């Protein structure tokens, strides 16, 4: 497994957070991976991550340097070995635009953190600031689980 793409709806809150956290933790674990993120929607194309997501992440020591929102493209399903989604809607949206032979590459992020007791990373965009710390808690747990799965 050499390349991982994290996907959410807008690519400004959850998947940029996943990209930042997973990049740091995979470096700490000594893994050399190509990591990126994208959205199923393109409304925020070219924008940096949401200020609230960056504030919460930077407080925990993560870097969002160089991140810019983009919409998923068909070639992503060829380039990336694994496409990790935040919720069931992301999963449905992606499966509706890619060919069935790559469906196996798409995984729910929280599948790597069964102890979290929930299957979706909730969208924090319209909620209060606490939502971003909750996203970070879930993303940190799932990142550790994914790193363990990759090390097997
Ligand atoms: P994300 O959050 O999918 O975690 O990046 C959202 C960001 C923007 C919108 C929805 C969700 N939006 O509707 O613009």
């Amino acid at each position: 497994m050499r390349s991982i793409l994290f996907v959410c709806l807008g690519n400004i809150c959850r998947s940029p957070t996943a990209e930042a956290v997973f990049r740091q933790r995979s470096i700490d674990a000594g893994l050399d991976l190509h990591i990126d993120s994208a959205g199923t929607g393109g409304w925020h194309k070219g924008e940096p991550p949401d200020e609230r997501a960056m504030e919460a992440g930077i407080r925990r020591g993560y870097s969002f340097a160089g991140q810019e929102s983009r919409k998923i493209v068909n070639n992503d399903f060829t380039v990336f070995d694994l496409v990790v989604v935040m919720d069931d809607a992301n999963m449905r949206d992606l499966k509706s635009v890619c060919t069935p032979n790559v469906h196996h590459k798409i995984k729910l992020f929280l599948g790597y953190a069964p102890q979290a007791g929930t299957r979706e990373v909730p969208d924090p965009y319209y909620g209060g600031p606490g939502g971003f710390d909750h996203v970070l808690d879930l993303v940190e747990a799932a990142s550790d689980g994914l790193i363990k799965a990759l090390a097997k």
Side-chain angles (χ1 to χ4, degrees):
M1 191 70 62
R2 292 272 65 94
S3 57
I4 301 176
L5 181 69
F6 293 99
V7 174
C8 63
L9 176 61
N11 191 213
I12 55 168
C13 298
R14 291 166 294 172
S15 58
T17 298
E19 180 183 341
V21 170
F22 191 77
R23 176 168 291 118
Q24 186 58 53
R25 296 208 168 186
S26 61
I27 290 168
D28 292 346
L31 298 174
D32 180 23
L33 300 167
H34 172 47
I35 299 161
D36 196 6
S37 65
T40 57
W43 311 282
H44 296 279
K45 186 173 182 288
E47 294 176 18
D50 188 286
E51 280 294 339
R52 299 164 296 171
M54 288 202 284
E55 266 175 37
I58 289 167
R59 240 186 284 123
R60 295 196 193 188
Y62 301 111
S63 169
F64 294 79
Q67 286 206 46
E68 202 175 87
S69 176
R70 71 174 180 89
K71 187 176 179 180
I72 190 148
V73 294
N74 244 299
N75 197 39
D76 286 323
F77 296 104
T78 305
V79 168
F80 290 91
D81 300 313
L82 191 60
V83 179
V84 178
V85 299
M86 302 299 134
D87 61 31
D88 289 320
N90 304 151
M91 175 77 81
R92 272 195 305 277
D93 289 345
L94 290 190
K95 284 187 172 172
S96 75
V97 296
C98 70
T99 52
N101 65 314
V102 292
H103 282 189
H104 67 279
K105 292 188 175 187
I106 310 171
K107 307 280 189 202
L108 267 179
F109 200 14
L110 289 184
Y112 297 99
Q115 75 280 12
T118 177
R119 56 186 282 118
E120 301 187 306
V121 180
D123 188 343
Y125 189 65
Y126 293 108
F132 290 86
D133 268 308
H134 183 51
V135 166
L136 276 162
D137 291 340
L138 294 172
V139 162
E140 286 176 340
S143 293
D144 289 343
L146 177 51
I147 284 167
K148 277 202 189 112
L150 293 175
K152 272 186 192 153

CSV table of all heavy atoms in Angstrom, one decimal, residues 8-14 44 123-126, ligand 1:
chain,number,residue,atom,x,y,z
A,8,CYS,N,-14.1,13.6,1.7
A,8,CYS,CA,-15.3,13.9,2.4
A,8,CYS,C,-16.1,14.7,1.4
A,8,CYS,O,-15.9,14.6,0.2
A,8,CYS,CB,-15.0,14.7,3.7
A,8,CYS,SG,-14.2,16.3,3.4
A,9,LEU,N,-17.1,15.5,1.9
A,9,LEU,CA,-18.0,16.2,0.9
A,9,LEU,C,-17.3,17.4,0.3
A,9,LEU,O,-17.2,17.6,-0.9
A,9,LEU,CB,-19.3,16.6,1.7
A,9,LEU,CG,-20.3,17.4,1.0
A,9,LEU,CD1,-20.8,16.7,-0.3
A,9,LEU,CD2,-21.5,17.8,1.9
A,10,GLY,N,-16.8,18.3,1.2
A,10,GLY,CA,-16.3,19.6,0.7
A,10,GLY,C,-14.8,19.7,0.6
A,10,GLY,O,-14.3,20.7,0.0
A,11,ASN,N,-14.1,18.8,1.2
A,11,ASN,CA,-12.6,18.8,1.2
A,11,ASN,C,-12.1,20.1,1.9
A,11,ASN,O,-11.1,20.6,1.5
A,11,ASN,CB,-12.0,18.6,-0.2
A,11,ASN,CG,-10.5,18.3,-0.1
A,11,ASN,OD1,-9.8,18.7,-1.1
A,11,ASN,ND2,-10.0,17.7,0.9
A,12,ILE,N,-12.8,20.6,2.9
A,12,ILE,CA,-12.3,21.7,3.7
A,12,ILE,C,-12.3,21.4,5.2
A,12,ILE,O,-11.6,22.1,5.9
A,12,ILE,CB,-13.0,23.0,3.4
A,12,ILE,CG1,-14.5,22.9,3.6
A,12,ILE,CG2,-12.7,23.6,2.0
A,12,ILE,CD1,-15.2,24.3,3.6
A,13,CYS,N,-13.0,20.4,5.6
A,13,CYS,CA,-13.1,20.1,7.1
A,13,CYS,C,-12.5,18.7,7.4
A,13,CYS,O,-11.4,18.6,7.9
A,13,CYS,CB,-14.5,20.2,7.6
A,13,CYS,SG,-15.2,21.9,7.5
A,14,ARG,N,-13.2,17.7,7.1
A,14,ARG,CA,-12.8,16.3,7.6
A,14,ARG,C,-11.7,15.7,6.9
A,14,ARG,O,-10.7,15.2,7.5
A,14,ARG,CB,-14.1,15.4,7.5
A,14,ARG,CG,-15.1,15.7,8.5
A,14,ARG,CD,-16.4,15.0,8.2
A,14,ARG,NE,-17.0,15.5,6.9
A,14,ARG,CZ,-18.0,14.9,6.3
A,14,ARG,NH1,-18.6,13.8,6.8
A,14,ARG,NH2,-18.5,15.4,5.2
A,44,HIS,N,-15.6,24.3,-3.1
A,44,HIS,CA,-14.6,25.0,-2.4
A,44,HIS,C,-13.2,24.9,-3.1
A,44,HIS,O,-12.2,25.1,-2.5
A,44,HIS,CB,-14.4,24.5,-0.9
A,44,HIS,CG,-15.7,24.8,-0.1
A,44,HIS,ND1,-15.9,26.1,0.4
A,44,HIS,CD2,-16.8,24.1,0.2
A,44,HIS,CE1,-17.1,26.1,1.0
A,44,HIS,NE2,-17.6,24.9,0.9
A,123,ASP,N,-20.1,15.5,9.9
A,123,ASP,CA,-19.7,16.7,9.2
A,123,ASP,C,-19.8,17.9,10.2
A,123,ASP,O,-20.9,18.2,10.8
A,123,ASP,CB,-20.7,16.9,8.1
A,123,ASP,CG,-20.3,18.1,7.2
A,123,ASP,OD1,-19.5,18.9,7.6
A,123,ASP,OD2,-20.8,18.2,6.1
A,124,PRO,N,-18.7,18.6,10.5
A,124,PRO,CA,-18.7,19.6,11.5
A,124,PRO,C,-19.0,21.0,11.0
A,124,PRO,O,-19.1,22.0,11.7
A,124,PRO,CB,-17.3,19.6,12.0
A,124,PRO,CG,-16.5,19.3,10.8
A,124,PRO,CD,-17.3,18.4,10.0
A,125,TYR,N,-19.3,21.1,9.6
A,125,TYR,CA,-19.3,22.4,8.9
A,125,TYR,C,-20.4,23.3,9.5
A,125,TYR,O,-20.1,24.5,9.7
A,125,TYR,CB,-19.6,22.1,7.5
A,125,TYR,CG,-19.5,23.4,6.6
A,125,TYR,CD1,-18.2,24.0,6.4
A,125,TYR,CD2,-20.6,23.9,5.9
A,125,TYR,CE1,-18.1,25.1,5.6
A,125,TYR,CE2,-20.4,25.0,5.1
A,125,TYR,CZ,-19.2,25.6,5.0
A,125,TYR,OH,-19.1,26.7,4.2
A,126,TYR,N,-21.6,22.8,9.8
A,126,TYR,CA,-22.7,23.7,10.3
A,126,TYR,C,-22.8,23.6,11.8
A,126,TYR,O,-23.8,24.2,12.4
A,126,TYR,CB,-24.0,23.3,9.6
A,126,TYR,CG,-24.0,23.6,8.1
A,126,TYR,CD1,-23.9,22.6,7.2
A,126,TYR,CD2,-24.0,24.9,7.7
A,126,TYR,CE1,-23.9,22.9,5.8
A,126,TYR,CE2,-23.9,25.2,6.3
A,126,TYR,CZ,-23.9,24.2,5.4
A,126,TYR,OH,-23.9,24.5,4.1
B,1,LIG,P1,-16.4,18.6,4.8
B,1,LIG,O1,-17.5,19.6,5.4
B,1,LIG,O2,-17.1,17.6,3.9
B,1,LIG,O3,-15.9,17.9,6.1
B,1,LIG,O4,-15.3,19.3,4.1
B,1,LIG,C1,-18.2,20.4,4.5
B,1,LIG,C2,-17.7,21.6,4.0
B,1,LIG,C3,-18.5,22.4,3.2
B,1,LIG,C4,-19.8,22.0,2.9
B,1,LIG,C5,-20.3,20.8,3.5
B,1,LIG,C6,-19.5,20.1,4.3
B,1,LIG,N1,-20.6,22.8,2.1
B,1,LIG,O5,-21.8,22.5,2.0
B,1,LIG,O6,-20.1,23.8,1.6
